[in-house]
Amino acid sequence: MENDAADAPEGGSGPEWQRAGLPGGLIEASYLTHRVYAVQYRLIVDVLLAQQQHTLTGIAAADLPGLLRAHIVGAGGDPAVLDDPAFHLKARMADLKRWQVIHIFQDRVTRDADFVLDFDRYQLTETAAQLHRAVLTLGEDVASGAAATMAPGVLTAQLAVLEAAAATDPVAAAAAWSVIQTTYRAMADAAASWQARLAGALAGTPDQRKITVVQETLRRYVDMWGAGVDTHSDAITELVTRLTAVEPARWRRIAVHTLGASADDAAIEELTRSYAQTLATLRSWFDGPDCQARRLRRQMRDTIRPLLSSQRVLAAVGGHVSRRAELLRLATGIEGAADEQAAWRLWCAATGLYAARHLPGATPAPAGNPGAVSFWEAEPVEVEARLRRQGPKATGGGAPARIADRRDARRAAREFAARLRGAAAGTEARVLARSGLPLSQWPEVDAAELDLLLLLLGAVNTTRPDASGVRTAVSDDARWSLRAEPAPPGAPSAVLHTPDGRLVHPDIRLHIEPLEIHT
């Protein structure tokens, strides 16, 4: 038997580790983490689990090599790996037996000659079979997501059936409860899968694969389940509240019809308690502003902003390192220079565009086509010692060449930017002067004021109102604190006249206050 030291945890022996009594151990999972033979163990367990669809009496030791070979061929692999000396099947099966992954038992022997043959049979233990089914479904949330497509609607319908049948028809109530339980579990599995995918995709540096995962998860959530939360949450909460008040005797009667008349009292009591626990769980999912369904929706909503930010980052990088931060620092330095000459020197120092130096002499002509030779590969020009010592003075009089002077263009650009800042400040002052007025009392707004007003209304309308209907928000540029008081009941909509037409909006009272920006 080819057992090695990889079976024991690193840093200590197997028996000492087992005697430590640490909680959380699962010895059946050892075949998945073996440092050397994990692939061989998984192949064997794959075959044993697949054969349970055909036989429940185990696999004969004589048949197992052929089944392994057929499985490898079906997966597109090379069955010759089974002939490798490192694939010691009896040793692998003994390890699986020691890890409580399989049962090994003997076929019935009918002749004396059969005692010399290998009549072992192998069958997975119940825990190992459940574990391996979970392993095979890792990353596959399509089925659970599809089952959650209409989960809120299904739960509403079946809870209504359960409420109507709880007192008169325990058989129908038990059938409705089975659908509720299955739908709830599928819904919870889908939500957990979406959260796991988003958490993994949002961690670390964004790349194209992570953004694709986030986009697919968001699309799946919106298409499958997102709209149903708002539609059915109140109905589910109301039904759960009424079902919670049902007498325990009725729940016990439903449990008896579910388990059968021969069920013992302990099983009936346990199932009856599970009814109350599931109803409490459904309430935590759909009742209140902080319920699990709404928290999941907020997580999906909050994912959109980093998703868009990551897409902009990828678009800016384009596969290369972005120089945007350096260019912004250079622009800030030039803008704050003392004079034009200082700005010019800073520009030349940052870009390397110093005055040109024309040196006499000629480089040797390259072989072949001169136009195909790179500057970096051409032969160097010999520079006399006099030129190296005296520099441009050695070549005679005349001023050195300079690159184009763009000082007038930069001056015009700064003046234009100052005019834009002044116009924006005037627009903000006019809008701020109308703070606290209902929209119906705003005078006619120009195009710039309309653009700013639409940005502020957009920020307010994306927030949730409080109990009195007041919405509070901060603008997207974090410069304005906004508070919108709802229009009085029955008040007509406000109509604002703009250069391009009319803006019709509920007659809210919008309060605008500037925020202090700390740098």
Side-chain angles (χ1 to χ4, degrees):
M1 185 177 299
E2 298 179 2
N3 296 330
D4 55 27
D7 297 341
E10 296 183 5
S13 62
E16 293 178 357
W17 175 69
Q18 293 174 359
R19 285 196 299 268
L22 295 177
L26 185 63
I27 192 173
E28 290 85 351
S30 301
Y31 74 95
L32 294 170
T33 59
H34 196 280
R35 291 197 299 252
V36 181
Y37 301 122
V39 176
Q40 297 181 9
Y41 292 128
R42 176 159 181 174
L43 170 63
I44 297 170
V45 178
D46 280 342
V47 171
L48 293 177
L49 183 63
Q51 288 302 309
Q52 287 186 348
Q53 302 178 13
H54 308 289
T55 176
L56 300 179
T57 58
I59 304 301
D63 298 335
L64 184 57
L67 294 173
L68 294 174
R69 193 175 301 273
H71 185 82
I72 294 176
V73 172
D78 184 6
V81 298
L82 298 177
D83 301 326
D84 192 304
F87 196 94
H88 196 295
L89 187 57
K90 293 294 289 184
R92 303 291 88 79
M93 303 310 290
D95 291 339
L96 292 175
K97 166 69 173 178
R98 179 164 50 88
W99 294 328
Q100 303 174 18
V101 177
I102 64 172
H103 297 295
I104 299 180
F105 53 99
Q106 295 285 323
D107 262 342
R108 177 177 297 178
V109 177
T110 58
R111 300 177 303 170
D112 293 342
D114 293 337
F115 280 99
V116 298
L117 302 178
D118 187 356
F119 269 71
D120 283 345
R121 296 188 72 86
Y122 308 120
Q123 183 61 281
L124 290 177
T125 62
E126 180 182 0
T127 302
Q130 293 176 353
L131 170 64
H132 203 64
R133 288 191 186 95
V135 171
L136 294 177
T137 58
L138 288 177
E140 299 179 1
D141 64 340
V142 177
S144 60
T149 303
M150 302 297 293
V154 172
L155 289 173
T156 302
Q158 294 301 319
L159 286 171
V161 173
L162 177 61
E163 181 191 16
T168 58
D169 192 350
V171 176
W177 183 261
S178 65
V179 177
I180 292 170
Q181 191 76 8
T182 303
T183 305
Y184 158 69
R185 289 178 178 174
M187 177 186 66
D189 291 343
S193 176
W194 293 332
Q195 289 172 320
R197 283 175 174 267
L198 288 179
L202 294 176
T205 304
D207 54 33
Q208 189 59 47
R209 184 191 64 81
K210 291 182 178 180
I211 288 182
T212 301
V213 170
V214 174
Q215 288 175 332
E216 292 177 352
T217 306
L218 287 174
R219 189 179 305 112
R220 190 175 303 171
Y221 168 80
V222 173
D223 293 343
M224 287 183 176
W225 188 39
V229 174
D230 286 335
T231 305
H232 298 283
S233 290
D234 293 340
I236 293 176
T237 301
E238 185 177 354
L239 288 168
V240 168
T241 301
R242 292 201 295 264
L243 285 170
T244 305
V246 173
E247 296 83 355
R250 295 183 179 179
W251 290 117
R252 182 178 177 85
R253 185 181 177 191
I254 295 173
V256 170
H257 281 77
T258 302
L259 299 175
S262 59
D264 56 8
D265 289 341
I268 294 174
E269 290 295 336
E270 182 179 357
L271 183 56
T272 303
R273 285 193 300 270
S274 72
Y275 292 153
Q277 294 172 356
T278 304
L279 290 176
T281 304
L282 287 175
R283 182 186 294 277
S284 68
W285 262 87
F286 293 99
D287 186 16
D290 293 328
C291 62
Q292 179 67 19
R294 298 187 187 277
R295 284 202 302 269
L296 176 61
R297 186 177 62 180
R298 287 195 292 270
Q299 287 178 332
M300 298 293 176
R301 179 200 64 195
D302 296 341
T303 302
I304 296 175
R305 184 180 296 274
L307 170 64
L308 296 177
S309 175
S310 299
Q311 287 180 322
R312 287 195 294 268
V313 169
L314 290 179
V317 172
H320 304 281
V321 177
S322 174
R323 304 297 295 274
R324 181 173 181 270
E326 297 179 15
L327 293 177
L328 289 177
R329 285 196 297 270
L330 175 60
T332 303
I334 294 176
E335 188 73 18
D339 51 30
E340 293 292 335
Q341 293 297 330
W344 183 259
R345 288 193 299 270
L346 178 60
W347 171 261
C348 291
T351 60
L353 298 178
Y354 293 98
R357 298 289 185 267
H358 299 282
L359 302 177
T363 181
N369 180 12
V373 178
S374 169
F375 169 83
W376 303 103
E377 299 175 358
E379 293 293 333
V381 176
E382 294 184 2
V383 180
E384 299 178 3
R386 178 175 59 87
L387 292 176
R388 293 197 297 269
R389 288 195 302 269
Q390 300 180 6
K393 297 179 180 180
T395 61
R402 295 188 62 180
I403 61 177
D405 189 350
R406 305 291 184 186
R407 286 179 290 182
D408 293 338
R410 292 198 300 274
R411 184 184 301 110
R414 284 196 296 269
E415 293 174 355
F416 179 71
R419 289 195 299 270
L420 290 181
R421 289 194 295 269
T427 300
E428 293 172 356
R430 292 191 298 272
V431 171
L432 186 60
R434 302 166 186 175
S435 174
L437 295 177
L439 292 183
S440 59
Q441 298 181 14
W442 282 44
E444 184 175 347
V445 296
D446 58 23
E449 295 169 356
L450 176 63
D451 292 340
L452 179 57
L453 176 61
L454 291 178
L455 291 176
L456 300 181
L457 291 177
V460 167
N461 290 332
T462 57
T463 60
R464 185 186 301 276
D466 59 15
S468 61
V470 176
R471 299 173 184 264
T472 58
V474 175
S475 60
D476 291 340
D477 56 3
R479 297 185 57 220
W480 307 101
S481 175
L482 308 173
R483 183 169 60 89
E485 299 176 2
S493 298
V495 179
L496 277 71
H497 296 279
T498 70
D500 297 329
R502 299 183 306 166
L503 173 64
V504 181
H505 192 275
D507 192 16
I508 64 174
R509 187 182 297 270
L510 184 60
H511 298 269
I512 309 169
E513 295 181 2
L515 289 175
E516 295 183 1
I517 300 177
H518 301 280
T519 59

